[in-house]
Amino acid sequence: MVSSSRARVAVRDDPGRTRSAAAVSAVLIVGAGLALRALAAGEVAKYGGDALYTLLLFALVFAAAPRTAPAKAAALALAVSWGVEFLQLSDVPAHLARESTAARLVLGSTFNAPDLFWYAVGAATGWLAVRRA
């Protein structure tokens, strides 16, 4: 019988399995985000979407680099999320958002300080999920 810690190591050592799990997770996260937008409103939809945005980035890190340490993937996803948020202090995202729906969805348009906390929630959720897997 394989212990759960050995099973975790086996999954992390198999880049193909990790990449596949990350890709499936990314699709599920996008689905959750779309469902959240359809079913919720106000702060629940906004801040839940922020957390899911970073969680999606976390999954995409593993899809691109499956041997990445969970803490490193969480830090990278959080750094990108925060970078995009701070970029919103300039006019660049707002201008791009007017030109492209995709840019609006990825970059947003206006800085909102509470988003920074919810991005951290998404990164921590990803890190905890992978650590427990």
Side-chain angles (χ1 to χ4, degrees):
M1 177 176 227
V2 176
S3 71
S4 64
S5 63
R6 283 167 129 193
R8 278 184 281 209
V9 171
V11 169
R12 288 190 191 144
D13 287 342
D14 183 352
R17 277 182 75 183
T18 301
R19 186 171 277 128
S20 295
V24 169
S25 296
V27 170
L28 293 174
I29 293 164
V30 169
L34 293 172
L36 184 64
R37 285 185 68 119
L39 300 174
E43 291 183 354
V44 171
K46 172 157 182 27
Y47 295 128
D50 289 344
L52 288 170
Y53 178 87
T54 302
L55 190 58
L56 175 61
L57 292 174
F58 179 81
L60 292 175
V61 168
F62 281 111
R67 293 183 193 243
T68 304
K72 194 174 197 177
L76 182 58
L78 183 58
V80 170
S81 296
W82 282 358
V84 168
E85 191 67 30
F86 283 113
L87 182 65
Q88 292 170 359
L89 291 170
S90 75
D91 292 335
V92 173
H95 173 73
L96 294 172
R98 286 190 296 273
E99 303 296 323
S100 165
T101 301
R104 182 178 51 81
L105 292 172
V106 172
L107 299 176
S109 60
T110 52
F111 178 82
N112 184 31
D115 291 351
L116 300 171
F117 169 76
W118 292 101
Y119 295 141
V121 168
T125 300
W127 178 75
L128 287 171
V130 170
R131 297 247 328 143
R132 291 184 180 180

mmCIF file of all heavy atoms in Angstrom, residues 25-74:
data_model
loop_
_atom_site.group_PDB
_atom_site.id
_atom_site.type_symbol
_atom_site.label_atom_id
_atom_site.label_comp_id
_atom_site.label_asym_id
_atom_site.label_seq_id
_atom_site.Cartn_x
_atom_site.Cartn_y
_atom_site.Cartn_z
ATOM 1 N N SER A 25 -7.830 21.729 -14.001
ATOM 2 C CA SER A 25 -8.131 22.709 -12.957
ATOM 3 C C SER A 25 -8.395 24.086 -13.548
ATOM 4 O O SER A 25 -9.326 24.777 -13.125
ATOM 5 C CB SER A 25 -6.974 22.795 -11.952
ATOM 6 O OG SER A 25 -6.825 21.581 -11.275
ATOM 7 N N ALA A 26 -7.592 24.483 -14.527
ATOM 8 C CA ALA A 26 -7.781 25.789 -15.159
ATOM 9 C C ALA A 26 -9.161 25.886 -15.807
ATOM 10 O O ALA A 26 -9.854 26.899 -15.667
ATOM 11 C CB ALA A 26 -6.679 26.041 -16.183
ATOM 12 N N VAL A 27 -9.566 24.833 -16.493
ATOM 13 C CA VAL A 27 -10.898 24.826 -17.121
ATOM 14 C C VAL A 27 -11.988 24.924 -16.053
ATOM 15 O O VAL A 27 -12.954 25.689 -16.202
ATOM 16 C CB VAL A 27 -11.088 23.571 -17.996
ATOM 17 C CG1 VAL A 27 -12.528 23.420 -18.447
ATOM 18 C CG2 VAL A 27 -10.149 23.620 -19.197
ATOM 19 N N LEU A 28 -11.831 24.185 -14.969
ATOM 20 C CA LEU A 28 -12.815 24.235 -13.884
ATOM 21 C C LEU A 28 -12.858 25.613 -13.218
ATOM 22 O O LEU A 28 -13.936 26.103 -12.858
ATOM 23 C CB LEU A 28 -12.519 23.155 -12.846
ATOM 24 C CG LEU A 28 -12.709 21.714 -13.319
ATOM 25 C CD1 LEU A 28 -12.235 20.727 -12.254
ATOM 26 C CD2 LEU A 28 -14.163 21.460 -13.692
ATOM 27 N N ILE A 29 -11.705 26.236 -13.073
ATOM 28 C CA ILE A 29 -11.645 27.569 -12.466
ATOM 29 C C ILE A 29 -12.341 28.594 -13.362
ATOM 30 O O ILE A 29 -13.097 29.444 -12.872
ATOM 31 C CB ILE A 29 -10.186 27.971 -12.173
ATOM 32 C CG1 ILE A 29 -9.610 27.069 -11.072
ATOM 33 C CG2 ILE A 29 -10.084 29.446 -11.781
ATOM 34 C CD1 ILE A 29 -8.091 27.103 -10.968
ATOM 35 N N VAL A 30 -12.111 28.517 -14.660
ATOM 36 C CA VAL A 30 -12.801 29.420 -15.590
ATOM 37 C C VAL A 30 -14.310 29.188 -15.498
ATOM 38 O O VAL A 30 -15.097 30.143 -15.444
ATOM 39 C CB VAL A 30 -12.290 29.243 -17.032
ATOM 40 C CG1 VAL A 30 -13.185 29.977 -18.028
ATOM 41 C CG2 VAL A 30 -10.853 29.741 -17.147
ATOM 42 N N GLY A 31 -14.729 27.929 -15.451
ATOM 43 C CA GLY A 31 -16.154 27.613 -15.299
ATOM 44 C C GLY A 31 -16.726 28.170 -14.011
ATOM 45 O O GLY A 31 -17.829 28.726 -13.993
ATOM 46 N N ALA A 32 -15.969 28.049 -12.934
ATOM 47 C CA ALA A 32 -16.416 28.602 -11.651
ATOM 48 C C ALA A 32 -16.539 30.121 -11.735
ATOM 49 O O ALA A 32 -17.487 30.711 -11.195
ATOM 50 C CB ALA A 32 -15.447 28.204 -10.539
ATOM 51 N N GLY A 33 -15.608 30.760 -12.410
ATOM 52 C CA GLY A 33 -15.672 32.209 -12.566
ATOM 53 C C GLY A 33 -16.880 32.647 -13.377
ATOM 54 O O GLY A 33 -17.564 33.608 -13.020
ATOM 55 N N LEU A 34 -17.157 31.927 -14.456
ATOM 56 C CA LEU A 34 -18.334 32.247 -15.261
ATOM 57 C C LEU A 34 -19.620 32.014 -14.476
ATOM 58 O O LEU A 34 -20.559 32.820 -14.550
ATOM 59 C CB LEU A 34 -18.333 31.432 -16.553
ATOM 60 C CG LEU A 34 -17.207 31.771 -17.538
ATOM 61 C CD1 LEU A 34 -17.188 30.768 -18.687
ATOM 62 C CD2 LEU A 34 -17.352 33.190 -18.056
ATOM 63 N N ALA A 35 -19.667 30.928 -13.715
ATOM 64 C CA ALA A 35 -20.845 30.646 -12.885
ATOM 65 C C ALA A 35 -21.017 31.719 -11.817
ATOM 66 O O ALA A 35 -22.144 32.165 -11.547
ATOM 67 C CB ALA A 35 -20.722 29.268 -12.243
ATOM 68 N N LEU A 36 -19.923 32.129 -11.225
ATOM 69 C CA LEU A 36 -19.983 33.169 -10.195
ATOM 70 C C LEU A 36 -20.539 34.458 -10.779
ATOM 71 O O LEU A 36 -21.399 35.096 -10.172
ATOM 72 C CB LEU A 36 -18.591 33.395 -9.604
ATOM 73 C CG LEU A 36 -18.494 34.372 -8.445
ATOM 74 C CD1 LEU A 36 -19.268 33.846 -7.243
ATOM 75 C CD2 LEU A 36 -17.033 34.588 -8.072
ATOM 76 N N ARG A 37 -20.073 34.821 -11.960
ATOM 77 C CA ARG A 37 -20.579 36.051 -12.604
ATOM 78 C C ARG A 37 -22.062 35.941 -12.941
ATOM 79 O O ARG A 37 -22.789 36.927 -12.896
ATOM 80 C CB ARG A 37 -19.790 36.349 -13.869
ATOM 81 C CG ARG A 37 -18.415 36.893 -13.595
ATOM 82 C CD ARG A 37 -17.736 37.285 -14.878
ATOM 83 N NE ARG A 37 -18.391 38.425 -15.479
ATOM 84 C CZ ARG A 37 -17.831 39.589 -15.719
ATOM 85 N NH1 ARG A 37 -16.575 39.760 -15.412
ATOM 86 N NH2 ARG A 37 -18.491 40.570 -16.277
ATOM 87 N N ALA A 38 -22.508 34.727 -13.302
ATOM 88 C CA ALA A 38 -23.911 34.535 -13.684
ATOM 89 C C ALA A 38 -24.833 34.475 -12.473
ATOM 90 O O ALA A 38 -25.985 34.903 -12.555
ATOM 91 C CB ALA A 38 -24.055 33.256 -14.505
ATOM 92 N N LEU A 39 -24.329 33.948 -11.365
ATOM 93 C CA LEU A 39 -25.197 33.675 -10.220
ATOM 94 C C LEU A 39 -25.077 34.661 -9.068
ATOM 95 O O LEU A 39 -25.995 34.771 -8.257
ATOM 96 C CB LEU A 39 -24.924 32.263 -9.693
ATOM 97 C CG LEU A 39 -25.154 31.135 -10.692
ATOM 98 C CD1 LEU A 39 -24.707 29.802 -10.111
ATOM 99 C CD2 LEU A 39 -26.620 31.087 -11.114
ATOM 100 N N ALA A 40 -23.967 35.350 -8.972
ATOM 101 C CA ALA A 40 -23.749 36.251 -7.845
ATOM 102 C C ALA A 40 -23.648 37.687 -8.349
ATOM 103 O O ALA A 40 -23.490 37.940 -9.536
ATOM 104 C CB ALA A 40 -22.474 35.858 -7.101
ATOM 105 N N ALA A 41 -23.735 38.598 -7.409
ATOM 106 C CA ALA A 41 -23.633 40.010 -7.757
ATOM 107 C C ALA A 41 -22.828 40.731 -6.688
ATOM 108 O O ALA A 41 -22.512 40.166 -5.632
ATOM 109 C CB ALA A 41 -25.032 40.616 -7.866
ATOM 110 N N GLY A 42 -22.493 41.943 -6.968
ATOM 111 C CA GLY A 42 -21.840 42.794 -5.988
ATOM 112 C C GLY A 42 -20.472 42.302 -5.576
ATOM 113 O O GLY A 42 -19.703 41.782 -6.387
ATOM 114 N N GLU A 43 -20.185 42.462 -4.284
ATOM 115 C CA GLU A 43 -18.869 42.131 -3.758
ATOM 116 C C GLU A 43 -18.536 40.648 -3.859
ATOM 117 O O GLU A 43 -17.376 40.277 -4.051
ATOM 118 C CB GLU A 43 -18.740 42.616 -2.316
ATOM 119 C CG GLU A 43 -18.692 44.126 -2.212
ATOM 120 C CD GLU A 43 -18.486 44.603 -0.796
ATOM 121 O OE1 GLU A 43 -18.486 43.779 0.145
ATOM 122 O OE2 GLU A 43 -18.323 45.825 -0.633
ATOM 123 N N VAL A 44 -19.535 39.779 -3.723
ATOM 124 C CA VAL A 44 -19.281 38.341 -3.826
ATOM 125 C C VAL A 44 -18.722 38.015 -5.205
ATOM 126 O O VAL A 44 -17.713 37.310 -5.334
ATOM 127 C CB VAL A 44 -20.554 37.524 -3.538
ATOM 128 C CG1 VAL A 44 -20.354 36.053 -3.864
ATOM 129 C CG2 VAL A 44 -20.996 37.701 -2.091
ATOM 130 N N ALA A 45 -19.361 38.533 -6.241
ATOM 131 C CA ALA A 45 -18.903 38.266 -7.602
ATOM 132 C C ALA A 45 -17.547 38.919 -7.858
ATOM 133 O O ALA A 45 -16.648 38.307 -8.432
ATOM 134 C CB ALA A 45 -19.928 38.767 -8.615
ATOM 135 N N LYS A 46 -17.391 40.153 -7.406
ATOM 136 C CA LYS A 46 -16.153 40.880 -7.676
ATOM 137 C C LYS A 46 -14.963 40.249 -6.972
ATOM 138 O O LYS A 46 -13.955 39.922 -7.592
ATOM 139 C CB LYS A 46 -16.274 42.337 -7.244
ATOM 140 C CG LYS A 46 -14.935 43.041 -7.345
ATOM 141 C CD LYS A 46 -15.036 44.496 -7.466
ATOM 142 C CE LYS A 46 -13.706 45.183 -7.610
ATOM 143 N NZ LYS A 46 -12.625 44.470 -8.192
ATOM 144 N N TYR A 47 -15.071 40.074 -5.675
ATOM 145 C CA TYR A 47 -13.918 39.586 -4.922
ATOM 146 C C TYR A 47 -13.707 38.085 -5.104
ATOM 147 O O TYR A 47 -12.572 37.611 -5.099
ATOM 148 C CB TYR A 47 -14.026 39.985 -3.453
ATOM 149 C CG TYR A 47 -13.969 41.488 -3.302
ATOM 150 C CD1 TYR A 47 -14.939 42.178 -2.595
ATOM 151 C CD2 TYR A 47 -12.956 42.229 -3.903
ATOM 152 C CE1 TYR A 47 -14.887 43.559 -2.470
ATOM 153 C CE2 TYR A 47 -12.900 43.610 -3.790
ATOM 154 C CZ TYR A 47 -13.865 44.270 -3.068
ATOM 155 O OH TYR A 47 -13.811 45.635 -2.958
ATOM 156 N N GLY A 48 -14.785 37.344 -5.304
ATOM 157 C CA GLY A 48 -14.635 35.932 -5.663
ATOM 158 C C GLY A 48 -13.918 35.793 -6.992
ATOM 159 O O GLY A 48 -13.057 34.921 -7.168
ATOM 160 N N GLY A 49 -14.248 36.667 -7.925
ATOM 161 C CA GLY A 49 -13.572 36.668 -9.215
ATOM 162 C C GLY A 49 -12.093 37.005 -9.085
ATOM 163 O O GLY A 49 -11.250 36.430 -9.784
ATOM 164 N N ASP A 50 -11.764 37.913 -8.184
ATOM 165 C CA ASP A 50 -10.356 38.255 -7.949
ATOM 166 C C ASP A 50 -9.575 37.034 -7.467
ATOM 167 O O ASP A 50 -8.482 36.748 -7.959
ATOM 168 C CB ASP A 50 -10.231 39.370 -6.901
ATOM 169 C CG ASP A 50 -10.700 40.720 -7.405
ATOM 170 O OD1 ASP A 50 -10.839 40.896 -8.637
ATOM 171 O OD2 ASP A 50 -10.927 41.609 -6.562
ATOM 172 N N ALA A 51 -10.147 36.334 -6.499
ATOM 173 C CA ALA A 51 -9.476 35.141 -5.967
ATOM 174 C C ALA A 51 -9.334 34.074 -7.054
ATOM 175 O O ALA A 51 -8.277 33.442 -7.187
ATOM 176 C CB ALA A 51 -10.238 34.593 -4.760
ATOM 177 N N LEU A 52 -10.381 33.893 -7.846
ATOM 178 C CA LEU A 52 -10.331 32.899 -8.924
ATOM 179 C C LEU A 52 -9.322 33.293 -10.006
ATOM 180 O O LEU A 52 -8.684 32.422 -10.599
ATOM 181 C CB LEU A 52 -11.724 32.696 -9.536
ATOM 182 C CG LEU A 52 -12.710 31.935 -8.658
ATOM 183 C CD1 LEU A 52 -14.112 32.005 -9.261
ATOM 184 C CD2 LEU A 52 -12.267 30.500 -8.459
ATOM 185 N N TYR A 53 -9.164 34.580 -10.257
ATOM 186 C CA TYR A 53 -8.190 35.066 -11.238
ATOM 187 C C TYR A 53 -6.788 34.595 -10.849
ATOM 188 O O TYR A 53 -6.055 34.044 -11.661
ATOM 189 C CB TYR A 53 -8.271 36.598 -11.283
ATOM 190 C CG TYR A 53 -7.302 37.296 -12.197
ATOM 191 C CD1 TYR A 53 -7.612 37.495 -13.540
ATOM 192 C CD2 TYR A 53 -6.099 37.804 -11.722
ATOM 193 C CE1 TYR A 53 -6.740 38.163 -14.389
ATOM 194 C CE2 TYR A 53 -5.222 38.472 -12.560
ATOM 195 C CZ TYR A 53 -5.543 38.652 -13.889
ATOM 196 O OH TYR A 53 -4.677 39.317 -14.715
ATOM 197 N N THR A 54 -6.430 34.798 -9.591
ATOM 198 C CA THR A 54 -5.103 34.387 -9.139
ATOM 199 C C THR A 54 -5.002 32.865 -9.083
ATOM 200 O O THR A 54 -3.951 32.299 -9.397
ATOM 201 C CB THR A 54 -4.775 35.014 -7.777
ATOM 202 O OG1 THR A 54 -4.864 36.438 -7.905
ATOM 203 C CG2 THR A 54 -3.377 34.651 -7.314
ATOM 204 N N LEU A 55 -6.065 32.198 -8.692
ATOM 205 C CA LEU A 55 -6.064 30.740 -8.681
ATOM 206 C C LEU A 55 -5.858 30.194 -10.096
ATOM 207 O O LEU A 55 -5.131 29.208 -10.284
ATOM 208 C CB LEU A 55 -7.377 30.225 -8.084
ATOM 209 C CG LEU A 55 -7.455 28.743 -7.774
ATOM 210 C CD1 LEU A 55 -6.358 28.307 -6.812
ATOM 211 C CD2 LEU A 55 -8.823 28.414 -7.197
ATOM 212 N N LEU A 56 -6.448 30.840 -11.089
ATOM 213 C CA LEU A 56 -6.234 30.445 -12.485
ATOM 214 C C LEU A 56 -4.766 30.629 -12.866
ATOM 215 O O LEU A 56 -4.168 29.747 -13.486
ATOM 216 C CB LEU A 56 -7.131 31.248 -13.423
ATOM 217 C CG LEU A 56 -6.927 31.017 -14.916
ATOM 218 C CD1 LEU A 56 -7.201 29.561 -15.290
ATOM 219 C CD2 LEU A 56 -7.807 31.962 -15.723
ATOM 220 N N LEU A 57 -4.179 31.747 -12.500
ATOM 221 C CA LEU A 57 -2.760 31.959 -12.782
ATOM 222 C C LEU A 57 -1.906 30.888 -12.113
ATOM 223 O O LEU A 57 -0.950 30.388 -12.704
ATOM 224 C CB LEU A 57 -2.321 33.351 -12.321
ATOM 225 C CG LEU A 57 -2.900 34.525 -13.106
ATOM 226 C CD1 LEU A 57 -2.496 35.838 -12.453
ATOM 227 C CD2 LEU A 57 -2.474 34.480 -14.557
ATOM 228 N N PHE A 58 -2.260 30.518 -10.905
ATOM 229 C CA PHE A 58 -1.563 29.459 -10.170
ATOM 230 C C PHE A 58 -1.611 28.149 -10.972
ATOM 231 O O PHE A 58 -0.585 27.493 -11.168
ATOM 232 C CB PHE A 58 -2.218 29.292 -8.800
ATOM 233 C CG PHE A 58 -1.625 28.215 -7.948
ATOM 234 C CD1 PHE A 58 -0.472 28.435 -7.216
ATOM 235 C CD2 PHE A 58 -2.235 26.977 -7.861
ATOM 236 C CE1 PHE A 58 0.074 27.445 -6.409
ATOM 237 C CE2 PHE A 58 -1.699 25.973 -7.059
ATOM 238 C CZ PHE A 58 -0.544 26.212 -6.330
ATOM 239 N N ALA A 59 -2.789 27.786 -11.466
ATOM 240 C CA ALA A 59 -2.933 26.561 -12.260
ATOM 241 C C ALA A 59 -2.138 26.663 -13.562
ATOM 242 O O ALA A 59 -1.504 25.687 -13.986
ATOM 243 C CB ALA A 59 -4.407 26.293 -12.561
ATOM 244 N N LEU A 60 -2.135 27.831 -14.173
ATOM 245 C CA LEU A 60 -1.405 28.001 -15.430
ATOM 246 C C LEU A 60 0.107 27.894 -15.231
ATOM 247 O O LEU A 60 0.809 27.426 -16.130
ATOM 248 C CB LEU A 60 -1.777 29.333 -16.080
ATOM 249 C CG LEU A 60 -3.217 29.418 -16.600
ATOM 250 C CD1 LEU A 60 -3.517 30.826 -17.110
ATOM 251 C CD2 LEU A 60 -3.502 28.373 -17.653
ATOM 252 N N VAL A 61 0.593 28.285 -14.064
ATOM 253 C CA VAL A 61 2.015 28.100 -13.766
ATOM 254 C C VAL A 61 2.350 26.617 -13.820
ATOM 255 O O VAL A 61 3.342 26.207 -14.433
ATOM 256 C CB VAL A 61 2.398 28.697 -12.391
ATOM 257 C CG1 VAL A 61 3.794 28.255 -11.961
ATOM 258 C CG2 VAL A 61 2.307 30.212 -12.415
ATOM 259 N N PHE A 62 1.510 25.775 -13.203
ATOM 260 C CA PHE A 62 1.758 24.332 -13.214
ATOM 261 C C PHE A 62 1.563 23.726 -14.597
ATOM 262 O O PHE A 62 2.225 22.752 -14.947
ATOM 263 C CB PHE A 62 0.888 23.614 -12.191
ATOM 264 C CG PHE A 62 1.420 23.733 -10.801
ATOM 265 C CD1 PHE A 62 0.749 24.482 -9.862
ATOM 266 C CD2 PHE A 62 2.608 23.123 -10.441
ATOM 267 C CE1 PHE A 62 1.245 24.604 -8.585
ATOM 268 C CE2 PHE A 62 3.118 23.240 -9.166
ATOM 269 C CZ PHE A 62 2.432 23.990 -8.235
ATOM 270 N N ALA A 63 0.666 24.292 -15.384
ATOM 271 C CA ALA A 63 0.498 23.795 -16.750
ATOM 272 C C ALA A 63 1.750 24.079 -17.577
ATOM 273 O O ALA A 63 2.162 23.258 -18.394
ATOM 274 C CB ALA A 63 -0.727 24.430 -17.398
ATOM 275 N N ALA A 64 2.366 25.223 -17.344
ATOM 276 C CA ALA A 64 3.566 25.603 -18.095
ATOM 277 C C ALA A 64 4.839 24.998 -17.517
ATOM 278 O O ALA A 64 5.746 24.628 -18.257
ATOM 279 C CB ALA A 64 3.692 27.127 -18.124
ATOM 280 N N ALA A 65 4.904 24.903 -16.194
ATOM 281 C CA ALA A 65 6.118 24.418 -15.514
ATOM 282 C C ALA A 65 5.701 23.480 -14.391
ATOM 283 O O ALA A 65 5.624 23.877 -13.231
ATOM 284 C CB ALA A 65 6.925 25.591 -14.980
ATOM 285 N N PRO A 66 5.388 22.226 -14.727
ATOM 286 C CA PRO A 66 4.781 21.306 -13.759
ATOM 287 C C PRO A 66 5.642 20.955 -12.547
ATOM 288 O O PRO A 66 5.106 20.492 -11.551
ATOM 289 C CB PRO A 66 4.470 20.066 -14.587
ATOM 290 C CG PRO A 66 5.250 20.186 -15.837
ATOM 291 C CD PRO A 66 5.524 21.631 -16.046
ATOM 292 N N ARG A 67 6.923 21.175 -12.599
ATOM 293 C CA ARG A 67 7.779 20.841 -11.453
ATOM 294 C C ARG A 67 7.988 22.011 -10.499
ATOM 295 O O ARG A 67 8.786 21.923 -9.575
ATOM 296 C CB ARG A 67 9.115 20.307 -11.940
ATOM 297 C CG ARG A 67 8.966 18.967 -12.629
ATOM 298 C CD ARG A 67 10.303 18.419 -13.048
ATOM 299 N NE ARG A 67 10.109 17.311 -13.953
ATOM 300 C CZ ARG A 67 10.492 16.073 -13.687
ATOM 301 N NH1 ARG A 67 11.090 15.788 -12.580
ATOM 302 N NH2 ARG A 67 10.275 15.114 -14.561
ATOM 303 N N THR A 68 7.279 23.085 -10.715
ATOM 304 C CA THR A 68 7.401 24.256 -9.862
ATOM 305 C C THR A 68 6.929 23.931 -8.454
ATOM 306 O O THR A 68 5.913 23.259 -8.263
ATOM 307 C CB THR A 68 6.556 25.419 -10.435
ATOM 308 O OG1 THR A 68 6.969 25.666 -11.776
ATOM 309 C CG2 THR A 68 6.710 26.675 -9.618
ATOM 310 N N ALA A 69 7.653 24.420 -7.465
ATOM 311 C CA ALA A 69 7.244 24.246 -6.070
ATOM 312 C C ALA A 69 5.943 25.018 -5.837
ATOM 313 O O ALA A 69 5.774 26.128 -6.374
ATOM 314 C CB ALA A 69 8.328 24.757 -5.137
ATOM 315 N N PRO A 70 5.017 24.452 -5.058
ATOM 316 C CA PRO A 70 3.734 25.133 -4.823
ATOM 317 C C PRO A 70 3.885 26.558 -4.291
ATOM 318 O O PRO A 70 3.176 27.463 -4.733
ATOM 319 C CB PRO A 70 3.027 24.223 -3.816
ATOM 320 C CG PRO A 70 3.610 22.876 -4.071
ATOM 321 C CD PRO A 70 5.041 23.119 -4.446
ATOM 322 N N ALA A 71 4.816 26.776 -3.365
ATOM 323 C CA ALA A 71 4.998 28.123 -2.817
ATOM 324 C C ALA A 71 5.487 29.085 -3.897
ATOM 325 O O ALA A 71 5.059 30.242 -3.952
ATOM 326 C CB ALA A 71 5.973 28.092 -1.650
ATOM 327 N N LYS A 72 6.340 28.609 -4.763
ATOM 328 C CA LYS A 72 6.856 29.446 -5.852
ATOM 329 C C LYS A 72 5.746 29.767 -6.847
ATOM 330 O O LYS A 72 5.645 30.903 -7.334
ATOM 331 C CB LYS A 72 8.004 28.730 -6.547
ATOM 332 C CG LYS A 72 8.818 29.594 -7.455
ATOM 333 C CD LYS A 72 10.020 28.814 -7.968
ATOM 334 C CE LYS A 72 11.070 29.730 -8.543
ATOM 335 N NZ LYS A 72 12.253 29.002 -8.976
ATOM 336 N N ALA A 73 4.907 28.787 -7.162
ATOM 337 C CA ALA A 73 3.781 29.011 -8.079
ATOM 338 C C ALA A 73 2.801 30.022 -7.487
ATOM 339 O O ALA A 73 2.307 30.909 -8.189
ATOM 340 C CB ALA A 73 3.067 27.695 -8.382
ATOM 341 N N ALA A 74 2.541 29.898 -6.184
ATOM 342 C CA ALA A 74 1.636 30.842 -5.520
ATOM 343 C C ALA A 74 2.229 32.247 -5.529
ATOM 344 O O ALA A 74 1.519 33.227 -5.803
ATOM 345 C CB ALA A 74 1.360 30.382 -4.089
#
